[in-house]
Amino acid sequence: MRLSADHIDWTVHGHRLLDGVSLAVEPGETFGLIGPNGSGKTTLLRVLAGLRKPKRGRVLIDDHPMYAMPQRDIARTIAFVEQQAETLDRIVVREAVALGRTPFLTALQPWSEHDDAIVSRALHDVGMAHLAERLWHTLSGGERQRVHIARALAQQPRILLLDEPTNHLDIRHQLSILQLVRQLPVTVVIALHDLNQAMGCDRIGVMDGGRLVDLGEPEQVLSAERLYRTFGVQVDFLVDPADRRPVMRFRNAL
């Protein structure tokens, strides 16, 4: 499913957080968003998720304006994993993940064994099945993040938006979650802090000062010049001897 933004602006108290952002993410593509803190990545994801209405421009799903779609249809199509999402304290892990099935439940279609199976699979995919009955408030930050990703998977979206989903995870779970996301048969937009992780995306967009300043395949976009201009760092490009892929080593430019 295709997701696109058409000249999106977002302004708060006279401060423009998004400035004329246009992009199109193709069906099945994993699209990475990178940029310095405060560059507009999270704001753009929230607009793409339908949580904020742009001041100017529009978001389209398969060329259909999002504003014209019923909220339930949006929730059945897009799942969003926020950077610091919260869930009610007095529920267990399985119940938190089951919230992802809410858009599909109606009086004529109540909870079923099919929903149970989807929740169990989502828990298994993020390595949290063994903690399914644990209370939410007893989890670590990394465990909570994995539960939020499981909730998004239980939603069975066609478009998955993730805001720096690996921030609270140890390196093993960072790698497993990113591998899982890349294998999903969905359109993915993922904001990443680690630029080496961004190298695994199909394409990346660089945000800076609320603008999309670069867009393309990682090898083209992540040049020494771009990294210096946007992040203020110098970089050495190395080659991973295991798979011959480029790896970046950063040096302070000051």
Side-chain angles (χ1 to χ4, degrees), residues 36-186:
N37 291 339
S39 61
K41 301 187 300 295
T42 295
T43 302
L44 177 58
L45 285 174
R46 292 182 67 82
V47 170
L48 292 175
L51 300 180
R52 290 180 175 172
K53 185 176 180 180
K55 306 298 182 182
R56 184 174 70 90
R58 58 182 184 164
V59 177
L60 300 103
I61 300 176
D62 275 352
D63 299 322
H64 300 294
M66 180 181 284
Y67 72 84
M69 296 176 61
Q71 192 61 44
R72 180 180 287 270
D73 288 350
I74 296 173
R76 288 178 172 181
T77 303
I78 297 177
F80 180 34
V81 178
E82 299 189 70
Q83 193 173 150
Q84 293 182 332
E86 273 305 327
T87 303
L88 298 175
D89 282 345
R90 302 306 299 181
I91 61 175
V92 299
V93 166
R94 174 173 283 275
E95 291 169 334
V97 176
L99 294 173
R101 302 303 301 157
T102 302
F104 301 92
L105 303 178
T106 66
L108 298 177
Q109 189 174 346
W111 189 271
S112 68
E113 291 183 359
H114 176 66
D115 299 295
D116 271 328
I118 291 172
V119 170
S120 294
R121 177 56 187 265
L123 284 164
H124 176 269
D125 284 345
V126 300
M128 290 293 289
H130 65 295
L131 296 180
E133 302 307 319
R134 276 274 296 272
L135 284 169
W136 168 262
H137 70 275
T138 67
L139 300 178
S140 69
E143 289 168 340
R144 292 187 185 195
Q145 188 70 353
R146 286 156 63 195
V147 172
H148 283 305
I149 294 170
R151 186 267 306 159
L153 296 180
Q155 200 170 325
Q156 293 192 311
R158 299 182 67 183
I159 298 170
L160 179 60
L161 309 178
L162 304 107
D163 189 8
E164 300 191 6
T166 62
N167 263 10
H168 303 291
L169 303 182
D170 58 52
I171 186 63
R172 179 170 69 91
H173 287 109
Q174 286 184 30
L175 296 174
S176 65
I177 290 298
L178 289 173
Q179 182 180 27
L180 170 64
V181 167
R182 293 183 185 116
Q183 291 173 343
L184 293 173
V186 299

